[in-house]
Amino acid sequence: MKKLLFILFAFLAFTKVNAQVLDPAKWTTAIEKKSETNYILTFNAVIEKDWHIYSQFTPDGGPLPLEITFKDQKGNFELVGKAKESKTTTAFNDVFGVNEIFFHDKAQIQQEIKLVNPKVTAIQAELNYQICKEVCINLEKKFTFKIPGTTTNTAVEIVPVAVTAQNATQIDTASIVPVAVEKSVPAVKANTVEQPKSDPASQRGLWSIFFIAFFSGFAALLTPCVFPMIPMTVSFFTKQSKTKAAGIKNAIIYGVSIILIYVLLGFVVTWIFGADALNALSTNVYFNIIFFILLVVFATSFLGAFEIMLPNSWANKVDSQADRGGIIGILFMALALAIVSFSCTGPIVGTLLVDAASKGGIAPIVGMFGFSLALALPFMLFAMFPGWLNSLPKSGGWLNTVKVVLGFLELALAFKFLSNADLVLQLHLLEREVFLVIWIAIFGVLAFYLFGKITMPHDSPLSHISVGRLCLGLLVLSFTIYLIPGLWGAPLKLISAFPPPMEYSESPYGVGGSNAGNTALPEGAKLGPHQIVVFDDYDKGLAYAKTVNKPIMLDFTGHACVNCRKMENNVWSDKSILPILKNEVVLISLYVDDQRPLSKSEQFTSKTTGAEIETIGDKWTDFMISKYNTNTQPLYVLTDLQGNNLNEKQPTISYVSVEEYESWLKAGISKFRK
């Protein structure tokens, strides 16, 4: 009985959610005069619990970023810089393999403009954004900012009329008109973007950067440029200091100086580029290519082709200042360490700054603090306890081995950035198989190197390999073998964030796979997830369904819809669902975020929402709202050949379990066959 009540409650809750057009964010706006020609336009959103809006800085290849567009801008006004945002959350998305950036609870966006035409009386703005919870919604909001002549200003937001469950099946969509909702909003100061409280996910992101940087600092410590300097530096402090306490104090000052130098570097990078700009650069095609080139140069240096060094004159000048003694002299000693060891630490620092830039905010500062802390700690600890120096391993060829291993890792990481650029441009030059072959080659050669089968230019003669080196070689070889099945379509979940997605593939069936049973696709069809025949054009899909006399499953989806991909990966792939989708229905996937423009003759104004329908995505969004009275994705509908719903009790279904999805499919198909 309890189970029955639970199912009934879940059904009623689902029906209520899908009975109307959802709008989980409420927007208000304000405008403030900054100078005679400059104004600050502010967009404020209150977001319903558990929903989140993606930021304008969300990386390419992930969910849809927020976009602000202005009408009649040319000759009337100019934008002053990029729109500023309030605090956002950064979290890794394992579906798209990117760090998604989003607002929750509230959002504030400010754009400064400069009037060029003094006759302008109003600014027309439009927000396009994606908001998600268990489903995703692509929304478009239009606003009018009136140039202030009074202390308050009115913004006009165009929203569709909400349609309730009671009239959903009988509504005349032609009679629905958009409603202008006026909101009187007090102006806000231009320099006070509201900052929500720090969130746990953002903190986790910074902690992960700190620990990665910290362990990178230890790796840098084990390179030929740094490790031999530990006993030399400690010996200097112990011999030059009059007392043991003075030696310890000077060593601590030395360590703190190292930390200050690298943190200052992170601060300078953040200050020059700006927190938001760093994040925007890291998701840009050209900067991904630049990062790729930089990492290849760093890797080549670590492998022994050449050394990246700062001018010797810098080191000489700094070293001369170190003789001054006192705190100033110690500070210059720390600076000398940073300059002299640059050929080993530079590539690691550069890589860390690139990775931290992708997080934005204070991430470069946090990264440099973690790196420098690991670098400075040994100098301080060995000065406090000089006897520990006896336990240090002797310098030797193993230091160059560490450097070479880091070079291989840098080279592998470089191709992730090249892959990002290729995905954005959709050039298909670095598809999944090519990426995996490159990684297999890199880690395979690294395994041979660790086993002593190949040597690098600066390696010492190797009469035998140590147990540690053997274990590391076995680990790398195991990882290399693990990558190989990926060529045949294995998901490779351990590295899912690195290679291109499964569908971005040179061989959709895996290397050596075939298209057996699907050699002749219907006109207008293609192979979708799990080799399901799918149409992306409604008319072509309907025509085919009539020829084979099968029901139609409409799949309202999006290229950037996270939960759509989760349904495809976790539900569609199930052994009880996949045969149904392949054999018993005609699947038509309609992408609501398809930005390809419609021809002028196909463009129109929606009778339901009043929005201008200009793209293919607009067309399917309007179709979904006007026909099925909802705007969420994923959304699945089973219809007969006349477009009538086959599931009367539950006309549509969304993000659900395998069992519920199977039951819904079978109920609709059963009715079609009667």
Side-chain angles (χ1 to χ4, degrees):
M1 184 66 182
K2 288 182 178 179
K3 187 175 181 181
L4 207 58
L5 288 173
F6 175 79
I7 293 172
L8 178 62
F9 175 78
F11 169 74
L12 291 173
F14 181 82
T15 303
K16 183 177 180 181
V17 168
N18 285 275
Q20 63 180 8
V21 176
L22 294 180
D23 191 2
K26 304 303 177 187
W27 291 88
T28 57
T29 57
I31 182 171
E32 187 197 9
K33 187 174 184 179
K34 184 178 181 181
S35 67
E36 288 302 315
T37 58
N38 287 35
Y39 294 85
I40 303 294
L41 310 181
T42 302
F43 304 84
N44 289 295
V46 176
I47 307 169
E48 290 184 14
K49 186 179 179 182
D50 298 329
W51 289 85
H52 54 273
I53 294 175
Y54 291 104
S55 159
Q56 60 186 326
F57 299 116
T58 293
D60 294 321
L64 287 182
L66 180 145
E67 291 184 355
I68 310 172
T69 55
F70 294 90
K71 289 189 176 181
D72 304 321
Q73 180 180 338
K74 189 174 181 180
N76 291 316
F77 60 93
E78 299 173 350
L79 304 183
V80 181
K82 184 76 173 175
K84 296 180 180 179
E85 296 182 347
S86 56
K87 186 76 173 179
T88 55
T89 298
T90 300
F92 183 73
N93 185 318
D94 57 359
V95 175
F96 293 119
V98 299
N99 285 307
E100 60 184 17
I101 305 167
F102 54 89
F103 306 96
H104 60 80
D105 297 332
K106 62 180 75 173
Q108 186 176 84
I109 301 165
Q110 290 188 333
Q111 175 66 64
E112 182 176 348
I113 63 162
K114 178 181 180 181
L115 289 185
V116 178
N117 181 1
K119 295 182 180 180
V120 172
T121 59
I123 304 293
Q124 302 287 335
E126 183 177 289
L127 288 182
N128 290 277
Y129 59 93
Q130 187 176 75
I131 183 167
C132 295
K133 189 172 66 170
E134 292 179 352
V135 293
C136 291
I137 309 169
N138 298 334
L139 289 172
E140 175 185 293
K141 298 286 185 178
K142 296 181 180 179
F143 302 92
T144 300
F145 291 87
K146 296 180 180 178
I147 303 302
T150 58
T151 55
T152 60
N153 303 285
T154 301
V156 179
E157 176 186 348
I158 305 300
V159 297
V161 172
V163 183
T164 63
Q166 287 75 14
N167 62 9
T169 58
Q170 302 175 351
I171 191 161
D172 177 10
T173 57
S175 65
I176 302 177
V177 294
V179 176
V181 181
E182 292 193 350
K183 300 181 175 71
S184 182
V185 188
V188 295
K189 292 184 179 180
N191 59 351
T192 56
V193 177
E194 185 178 356
Q195 297 288 334
K197 293 180 180 179
S198 178
D199 54 88
S202 178
Q203 293 299 318
R204 285 196 298 272
L206 290 177
W207 276 111
S208 67
I209 292 169
F210 172 80
F211 284 116
I212 290 172
F214 187 78
F215 288 114
S216 298
F218 275 125
L221 195 68
L222 301 177
T223 57
C225 314
V226 182
F227 188 81
M229 297 185 71
I230 296 176
M232 293 170 55
T233 306
V234 172
S235 176
F236 172 82
F237 283 127
T238 53
K239 290 180 179 179
Q240 296 297 319
S241 303
K242 295 181 179 179
T243 63
K244 182 179 180 181
I248 293 174
K249 183 188 75 171
N250 290 337
I252 292 174
I253 295 172
Y254 180 71
V256 171
S257 299
I258 293 173
I259 295 172
L260 288 176
I261 288 167
Y262 283 99
V263 169
L264 181 63
L265 174 62
F267 176 79
V268 169
V269 169
T270 304
W271 178 70
I272 290 175
F273 293 101
D276 291 337
L278 273 174
N279 179 264
L281 290 180
S282 69
T283 60
N284 180 277
V285 172
Y286 302 106
F287 277 87
N288 268 288
I289 294 173
I290 291 172
F291 293 157
F292 163 72
I293 295 171
L294 279 176
L295 291 185
V296 169
V297 171
F298 292 158
T300 308
S301 172
F302 269 169
L303 292 174
F306 55 84
E307 287 193 355
I308 302 173
M309 299 182 65
L310 295 175
N312 288 330
S313 58
W314 292 16
N316 294 334
K317 288 180 181 179
V318 169
D319 193 50
S320 64
Q321 294 296 319
D323 296 333
R324 294 172 58 179
I327 294 177
I328 299 297
I330 295 173
L331 179 62
F332 276 102
M333 281 184 64
L335 185 58
L337 170 70
I339 293 173
V340 171
S341 65
F342 185 80
S343 61
C344 291
T345 59
I348 300 175
V349 169
T351 305
L352 284 173
L353 286 174
V354 167
D355 182 61
S358 67
K359 312 298 188 298
I362 61 170
I365 299 174
V366 173
M368 288 300 94
F369 175 70
F371 177 83
S372 58
L373 181 63
L375 202 63
L377 273 176
F379 289 95
M380 293 189 288
L381 291 174
F382 282 111
M384 293 178 184
F385 308 100
W388 288 6
L389 288 173
N390 296 326
S391 62
L392 276 179
K394 294 182 179 180
S395 299
W398 68 272
L399 290 174
N400 193 67
T401 300
V402 172
K403 192 175 176 183
V404 170
V405 170
L406 290 174
F408 278 105
L409 294 177
E410 293 259 4
L411 189 60
L413 182 61
F415 284 93
K416 170 59 179 171
F417 291 98
L418 186 62
S419 174
N420 289 343
D422 184 61
L423 281 166
V424 173
L425 295 174
Q426 290 290 297
L427 296 176
H428 289 268
L429 297 176
L430 194 62
E431 293 176 315
R432 186 177 177 87
E433 293 88 348
V434 178
F435 184 96
L436 290 176
V437 164
I438 291 172
W439 267 39
I440 290 168
I442 290 172
F443 287 102
V445 172
L446 174 57
F448 275 106
Y449 171 77
L450 290 171
F451 290 138
K453 299 302 180 184
I454 58 175
T455 58
M456 291 297 171
H458 300 296
D459 282 334
S460 302
L462 190 67
S463 58
H464 68 280
I465 60 172
S466 65
V467 174
R469 182 165 177 164
L470 175 65
C471 291
L472 182 59
L474 289 172
L475 182 65
V476 173
L477 180 61
S478 300
F479 178 70
T480 306
I481 296 172
Y482 168 79
L483 294 176
I484 295 173
L487 299 174
W488 280 267
L492 303 180
K493 293 182 179 180
L494 285 179
I495 59 163
S496 60
F498 288 92
M502 296 285 285
E503 59 270 18
Y504 197 77
S505 174
E506 187 175 287
S507 304
Y509 318 101
V511 175
S514 67
N515 189 20
N518 288 313
T519 53
L521 289 173
E523 182 182 357
K526 61 182 180 181
L527 286 175
H530 316 296
Q531 300 181 32
I532 302 170
V533 175
V534 59
F535 293 83
D536 58 11
D537 183 276
Y538 180 80
D539 294 329
K540 291 179 180 178
L542 175 60
Y544 176 71
K546 289 179 178 179
T547 63
V548 295
N549 193 34
K550 290 182 180 180
I552 295 169
M553 192 181 88
L554 294 179
D555 163 34
F556 290 98
T557 184
H559 294 292
C561 173
V562 177
N563 289 327
C564 301
R565 300 294 85 77
K566 287 182 178 179
M567 282 293 292
E568 293 164 7
N569 295 339
N570 303 326
V571 177
W572 286 16
S573 62
D574 190 85
K575 61 182 180 181
S576 63
I577 302 296
L578 191 55
I580 298 176
L581 298 181
K582 281 188 171 183
N583 304 316
E584 299 185 42
V585 299
V586 174
L587 177 61
I588 303 177
S589 293
L590 305 177
Y591 289 85
V592 300
D593 57 0
D594 191 331
Q595 297 301 307
R596 290 177 295 170
L598 294 167
S599 64
K600 290 293 182 182
S601 61
E602 293 179 297
Q603 295 180 12
F604 62 96
T605 301
S606 171
K607 294 180 180 179
T608 306
T609 64
E612 297 296 325
I613 308 302
E614 299 174 341
T615 67
I616 293 174
D618 293 342
K619 176 183 175 181
W620 301 135
T621 300
D622 186 64
F623 177 44
M624 177 173 53
I625 293 174
S626 61
K627 180 76 173 177
Y628 301 107
N629 196 34
T630 186
N631 57 347
T632 62
Q633 304 92 47
L635 185 77
Y636 308 106
V637 187
L638 272 177
T639 76
D640 60 21
L641 302 179
Q642 288 72 45
N644 301 312
N645 287 345
L646 291 172
N647 300 77
E648 294 180 357
K649 292 183 178 179
Q650 196 174 5
T652 65
I653 202 167
S654 185
Y655 188 70
V656 295
S657 66
V658 171
E659 294 75 19
E660 187 174 354
Y661 199 71
E662 181 185 9
S663 176
W664 178 82
L665 281 172
K666 288 183 175 179
I669 295 170
S670 176
K671 183 178 178 182
F672 179 83
R673 290 173 178 171
K674 288 181 180 179

